[in-house]
Amino acid sequence: MSSASAAQKKPIAISTTEGFICGGIAACIAVTISNPAEVAKTRLQLQGELAKGGGVKVYNNAVDVLRKTYINEGLRGVQRGLGPAYVYQILLNGSRLGFYEPIRHSINHLAGYSAETQIPFTSVLAGALSGAIGASLGNPLFLIKARMQAYSPALPVGAQHYYKNSFDALSTIFRAERFRGLVRGIDAAILRTSMGSSVQLPSYNFTKTQLVKNGILPADSTWTFLLSSTVSGMCVCLAMQPADTALTRMYNQPTIRGPDGRLQGTLYKNPIDCLWKTFQAEGVYGWYKGSTAHFMRIAPHTIVTLTMNDIIIGIYKDFKRGRQRDFHV
């Protein structure tokens, strides 16, 4: 066998950094499509916050949010928070997709299993840990994204925070609260993302493996990617919704200066306190406000992110294989 053909057939590995970049690019493509549904979800989650009986109903459903937002605020309103959403997705999904396999391999090794073996427990733990890393890195961006998406000059719901742009948001928060303001809600962000990440990639990989192993679809089929991503999106939505509602409300709650001079939330102390107070005032329904909009966001977002991640990694591996082949010629 020639050195050129050996280079062509040798499996191509990608580094954690390369996986981070590929995952970030895939997530940015996805968020451009899913951001309008995120705006709808955020506003529905804040509507009637802690109000017995649901309070004043500004929006009827996710489609109504998008319709009224577009009429009153135009395309800019429908895509509010898209700038910080891009950076957040690079940090979150770059970490979630880039660090997942290295963490899973390490946990498998510590547990005495082969690195490549798919074990539910280690897969879920790796997903949760990689998601927690991404959530911690991206917290300031998610904070300002949520506040920008909640802001409406025409039909406001919840506390309103007006920022000219992402830089204005970050500098305003830092001037008022210093570093503490930028990490506000990080406990809720880690809870939310860990719950979503713990099922996102494990459910995707499990579904994909079953489809291929049982001869239903080939491994490199786009339909395999799409079906696996759809199942994964449904699992993420179910696992993450209550924590997502808590995160939105904690990020957006008004603040007052306490006796120690620090700004603190006026409504909630932590995500558990938020979930409990929401349950007391609004019942279980309060946890699942905006769930339809959430699925409208998470389903296409998960499908596009995971499908594009596989496609981008495949293209990048072909590129690296081509460079190796050229080198050996």
Side-chain angles (χ1 to χ4, degrees):
M1 184 183 291
S2 68
S3 59
S5 60
Q8 184 174 5
K9 292 185 178 181
K10 182 181 178 181
I12 300 296
I14 62 171
S15 67
T16 301
T17 301
E18 291 169 330
F20 183 99
I21 294 171
C22 289
I25 294 171
C28 284
I29 295 171
V31 80
T32 306
I33 299 168
S34 66
N35 193 64
E38 176 86 354
V39 172
K41 174 189 71 70
T42 299
R43 296 184 180 187
L44 286 169
Q45 287 174 332
L46 294 171
Q47 180 172 258
E49 186 174 12
L50 298 185
K52 294 284 187 181
V56 178
K57 203 168 188 179
V58 178
Y59 305 108
N60 295 318
N61 50 54
V63 175
D64 189 49
V65 177
L66 294 174
R67 183 182 67 83
K68 289 178 178 176
T69 300
Y70 182 76
I71 291 172
N72 290 285
E73 304 169 48
L75 183 60
R76 181 179 181 181
V78 172
Q79 286 286 18
R80 283 194 189 276
L82 184 59
Y86 280 139
V87 184
Y88 174 74
Q89 288 299 328
I90 291 172
L91 294 173
L92 173 66
N93 284 295
S95 299
R96 190 153 56 184
L97 299 174
F99 296 152
Y100 172 74
E101 286 296 339
I103 291 174
R104 189 179 67 81
H105 290 172
S106 298
I107 297 173
N108 275 7
H109 177 72
L110 289 173
Y113 297 103
S114 165
E116 299 302 326
T117 304
Q118 292 284 343
I119 303 164
F121 172 73
T122 60
S123 296
V124 169
L125 184 57
L129 290 174
S130 60
I133 293 170
S136 301
L137 293 174
N139 189 74
L141 282 306
F142 201 110
L143 169 67
I144 63 172
K145 177 183 74 70
R147 290 184 175 182
M148 292 171 80
Q149 289 173 335
Y151 175 75
S152 172
L155 296 170
V157 290
Q160 296 289 285
H161 305 269
Y162 171 71
Y163 305 115
K164 295 176 183 177
N165 50 53
S166 300
F167 297 106
D168 178 53
L170 291 171
S171 60
T172 299
I173 294 169
F174 185 76
R175 282 196 305 269
E177 306 177 60
R178 313 307 291 177
F179 179 73
R180 183 184 177 90
L182 297 177
V183 296
R184 179 178 298 282
I186 193 170
D187 49 355
I190 291 174
L191 175 64
R192 168 193 180 272
T193 307
S194 295
M195 291 179 72
S197 298
S198 68
V199 299
Q200 185 188 44
L201 286 174
S203 61
Y204 175 79
N205 288 332
F206 176 80
T207 304
K208 185 178 174 184
T209 300
Q210 293 304 311
L211 290 172
V212 175
K213 188 169 71 173
N214 292 299
I216 300 172
L217 289 169
D220 58 352
S221 168
T222 301
W223 287 109
T224 305
F225 301 151
L226 288 173
L227 187 55
S228 301
S229 300
T230 302
V231 173
S232 177
M234 294 171 64
C235 293
V236 170
C237 189
L238 288 172
M240 199 166 65
Q241 175 65 28
D244 187 76
T245 299
L247 178 63
T248 299
R249 293 186 171 191
M250 286 196 66
Y251 274 159
N252 200 64
Q253 68 175 322
T255 57
I256 57 170
R257 198 167 296 280
D260 58 357
R262 293 178 176 178
L263 287 175
Q264 57 191 31
T266 60
L267 301 177
Y268 316 110
K269 298 175 183 177
N270 52 58
I272 304 303
D273 182 51
C274 177
L275 289 171
W276 175 242
K277 287 180 177 176
T278 299
F279 174 74
Q280 286 182 309
E282 306 167 56
V284 175
Y285 171 74
W287 292 351
Y288 287 90
K289 277 187 175 179
S291 56
T292 302
H294 192 189
F295 185 73
M296 286 170 60
R297 182 197 81 85
I298 204 70
H301 186 87
T302 303
I303 290 169
V304 175
T305 298
L306 296 179
T307 303
M308 290 306 301
N309 186 61
D310 272 352
I311 292 172
I312 290 169
I313 286 177
I315 293 171
Y316 184 67
K317 283 183 175 180
D318 288 342
F319 171 73
K320 287 186 71 174
R321 187 177 289 109
R323 291 194 65 180
Q324 287 184 8
R325 187 166 58 247
D326 292 342
F327 176 78
H328 287 290
V329 171

